[in-house]
Amino acid sequence: MIMMSIQFTDILAVAGAFLYLITLGVAIKLTGLRENKQRLLALFLVIGLVTSLLPLTHSLGWLSNELLQPIEWLCIILLTIIFYLLSRMVLQFKSERPWLVYVLSAGWIAALVVVGFNLIRLREVLLKATDWVITRQTLTLAILLIGWACFLIGIAGMLVHVSRKPIAPIVKNRAHYWSLALAIIAGSDILFWVSMDSWGGVLRWPGMLLAAAIIVRPYMPDIRRIERQVLNYMVMFTLTAIVLLAGLLLVPPIFERFREGYNPTLAGAVVAVFLAALLGPLWVLSQKIVQRILPAKGYDPNRILREYSQSISNILDPELLATVAVGLISEAIEIQRGYLFLVDYEPEDSGGNYRLRGAKGMGEDQPEPCLLKANGPIATYFRQDRKPLRQTDIELEPRFQPALAEEQSWLANLGVDVYMPIYTKDEWVGLIALGPKLSGLPYFDDDLALLAILADQTAVALQNARLVESLMRLNNDFRRAYAAMEQANRHLKQVNVQLENLDRTKSDFISVASHELRTPLTVMRGYNEMLLEDPAINGNAFHAKLLNGIYSGIMRLHEIVNSMLDIASIDTRSLELKVEPISIHMLIHMVISGFKESLEERHLTLEAEGLRDLPEIDGDPEALKKVFYHVVINAIKYTPDGGKINITGLTVSPGQMNLPDGGVEVIVADTGIGIAPEYLDLIFTKFYQTGELALHSTGRTKFKGAGPGLGLAIARGIVEAHRGKIWAESPGHDEDKCPGSQFHVVLPLRVKQ
Ligand code: ADP
């Protein structure tokens, strides 16, 4: 009997060792030994293997009982500590004092070694009372149990903490499994404490296997699904058992009562038929019970679609849209990560690129943007095939092999399983990328069909969001441009104020200078006239010539000073008109007669027509003389020798040219050098002269003779004071072809002051 039991535990030990060895090999093959977690798992399995083999060494007589026990204890201590450390890693638990566990572990082991091997020579009996006794052995056991309990409570605490935290469902799912592993391992340890070593070892297998699987597999199947299946099985079993028992209990008495010869086979058949008939309703009942105890979270496509379209249709911010859309999809099909990319086409000579701009998904970092070659296989698929694409297809299918390495590695680094393109009309505008399901299951066709509908829903929202985005951009551009314009406007206003100040200073200067010049000029003119009348000087031809020269200079200066005075009074709006009825014909005649000599000298013909027929008008004769003086003298100055000047008078009927009472129009046309269109208006501003000043000749009526640039400004000031209009017309400026100019002066019949 003893021999049999030894053989049985030996078989268990060897089988356990094999199991640990296989687990260790698979774990190393799948994940390697690069990370601490993987190395710690390997150590965990190696110690598990040693622990499993310990009973064998004992039965083979290699280890004495005294030595076996402390080694077994040490193994359990190490397994507990490693399990604690693994728990911290698996549950992603961040401890504030990570070193504490090492200190406690060291203290625990040290205490056990000191007391267990009696290094400080304790007495075997430590305390003794009448009813109880504490031996060194009891103390060792107490240290062992207390330490073990502390670590296990620590792990349980971690699990409680994690279950309360709002963490990713994948970690929560892992925590469920981990608590199961904890329960199994704790149970196996308890079997050790109650000296059922072999059974403890057997129970440890599934615990350690489960722990290894959790560490090696990134996604564990959804535990709730398994829980539901187990529960469903149990409920179904119980219900069937109840029906069967009830049948077996009730059917025989009924048979006995109604039939004389009781046939058990028939009774059994009746129960079986009864049970078969009830199987369907029982199954439904079982499902209902399970649903009540563990409500299923499987998704209802119609509900998801409804909620999805309601939630995203009003979102206009692409970032928010991405978060909500991906969040809803993730929640519906229970995935751990997802992204929404906005796709923009960037044309280029070589066929262009699609730029994928990632919008933040579920709490993940925003991925870097990526360029996909428009004529590359991946972009071509999305553009043309209009179907979802799995990451595995990109990696395995030959048609995607020619894709650029950067494109492939960018997609692989996203860590997603499936891509769902989004289109508006014929354009590829977005991409939903979804990570693995929490359940570890692949994407089924149903999921992809639902995703395709969700992608269509997203298209509309995405298009709106993009529209709003570009509108916002436009708005920002507009705002910037508006701000720049405002600044320019302010600057312009400043410059305007400066210019107005400058103009005022100029006008002040003209006014002061002309007044100051007039008096000495008048004195000079007086003395000059006296000298010219002096017979002593008159007799001397040379002196007379000199004096005449001085006289004409003084007269020219006078003219300029008068012009300056005129413009000053126009500028300061102090021009006072002495209005009386005048004949334009007479007035112009007087002006022309002053140019008789000049016209002859320059071989210019001046013809007037229609002036006689003009009606008398109200006006200041002296002022209007100046108007025609300046216009005619300009016609003389800017017409080459031998040219023609025509003065035409036209009557303006009442109501025409904005003149209610009518008026007169005088046109002075010449065959001169003409005026460029851009100057037609500018020449009426004071000091404005076209052409180069240095090229002007000096004579008053010489071709292109000099002038201060005031004539037309004075003419306009006076005409406008009469409520009339003056303007110039010319085909252009050309000194060779001489296209000529026309000056129009329109004066009203009546001047209303
Ligand atoms: P200015 O003293 O220079 O003659 P105006 O005010 O009389 O000053 O004329 C301004 C400018 O208009 C002249 O410098 C000239 O360039 C142009 N101008 C005026 N009348 C004529 C014309 N009949 N033909 C061509 N250019 C003219």
Side-chain angles (χ1 to χ4, degrees), residues 385-405:
D385 285 41
R386 295 183 157 235
K387 277 190 296 192
L389 181 64
R390 289 183 167 94
Q391 176 64 28
T392 43
D393 294 339
I394 299 179
E395 281 158 21
L396 302 176
E397 266 195 36
R399 71 176 276 192
F400 296 113
Q401 295 314 307
L404 291 180

Side-chain angles (χ1 to χ4, degrees), residues 483 485-495:
M485 215 170 73
E486 285 239 294
Q487 202 177 347
N489 231 1
R490 272 198 298 276
H491 183 67
L492 219 70
K493 267 189 195 156
Q494 260 173 8
V495 172

Side-chain angles (χ1 to χ4, degrees), residues 524-555:
M524 281 162 73
R525 184 179 161 184
Y527 284 127
N528 202 291
E529 278 169 0
M530 279 164 68
L531 281 174
L532 275 173
E533 277 162 22
D534 190 326
I537 291 172
N538 248 344
N540 186 326
F542 177 66
H543 286 172
K545 195 181 169 200
L546 287 183
L547 267 183
N548 271 322
I550 295 172
Y551 187 71
S552 75
I554 290 171
M555 289 315 284

Side-chain angles (χ1 to χ4, degrees), residues 364-572:
E364 301 275 334
D365 288 338
Q366 197 159 318
E368 291 288 307
C370 160
L371 286 183
L372 291 184
K373 275 241 144 294
N375 47 18
I378 300 175
T380 310
Y381 178 91
F382 284 136
R383 208 179 53 237
Q384 290 173 355
D385 285 41
R386 295 183 157 235
K387 277 190 296 192
L389 181 64
R390 289 183 167 94
Q391 176 64 28
T392 43
D393 294 339
I394 299 179
E395 281 158 21
L396 302 176
E397 266 195 36
R399 71 176 276 192
F400 296 113
Q401 295 314 307
L404 291 180
E406 303 98 79
E407 292 182 7
Q408 295 210 16
S409 74
W410 184 82
L411 290 169
N413 283 339
L414 282 180
V416 299
D417 268 14
V418 91
Y419 303 93
M420 178 60 76
I422 303 174
Y423 305 91
T424 53
K425 290 191 198 109
D426 284 333
E427 220 181 317
W428 175 37
V429 291
L431 187 70
I432 299 176
L434 300 175
K437 286 187 182 180
L438 290 178
S439 58
L441 296 171
Y443 278 86
F444 299 113
D445 288 347
D446 283 358
D447 300 325
L448 296 184
L450 175 71
L451 276 177
I453 303 174
L454 293 183
D456 280 348
Q457 299 272 338
T458 320
V460 183
L462 194 67
Q463 201 181 17
N464 289 345
R466 293 180 74 121
L467 220 67
V468 170
E469 195 186 37
S470 53
L471 255 168
M472 301 264 273
R473 216 177 301 137
L474 215 71
N475 200 16
N476 278 344
D477 289 353
F478 180 72
R479 238 182 251 169
R480 262 199 296 277
Y482 187 75
M485 215 170 73
E486 285 239 294
Q487 202 177 347
N489 231 1
R490 272 198 298 276
H491 183 67
L492 219 70
K493 267 189 195 156
Q494 260 173 8
V495 172
N496 228 6
V497 170
Q498 279 172 358
L499 279 176
E500 268 174 20
N501 286 342
L502 214 70
D503 198 54
R504 204 167 313 125
T505 322
K506 215 158 66 178
S507 297
D508 290 350
F509 171 75
I510 294 169
S511 171
V512 172
S514 47
H515 275 106
E516 291 301 314
L517 283 171
R518 207 149 77 148
T519 324
L521 266 178
T522 317
V523 175
M524 281 162 73
R525 184 179 161 184
Y527 284 127
N528 202 291
E529 278 169 0
M530 279 164 68
L531 281 174
L532 275 173
E533 277 162 22
D534 190 326
I537 291 172
N538 248 344
N540 186 326
F542 177 66
H543 286 172
K545 195 181 169 200
L546 287 183
L547 267 183
N548 271 322
I550 295 172
Y551 187 71
S552 75
I554 290 171
M555 289 315 284
R556 175 92 184 102
L557 258 177
H558 239 297
E559 212 174 294
I560 293 172
V561 169
N562 280 342
S563 289
M564 283 164 75
L565 278 169
D566 287 341
I567 206 75
S569 63
I570 287 167
D571 272 352
T572 52

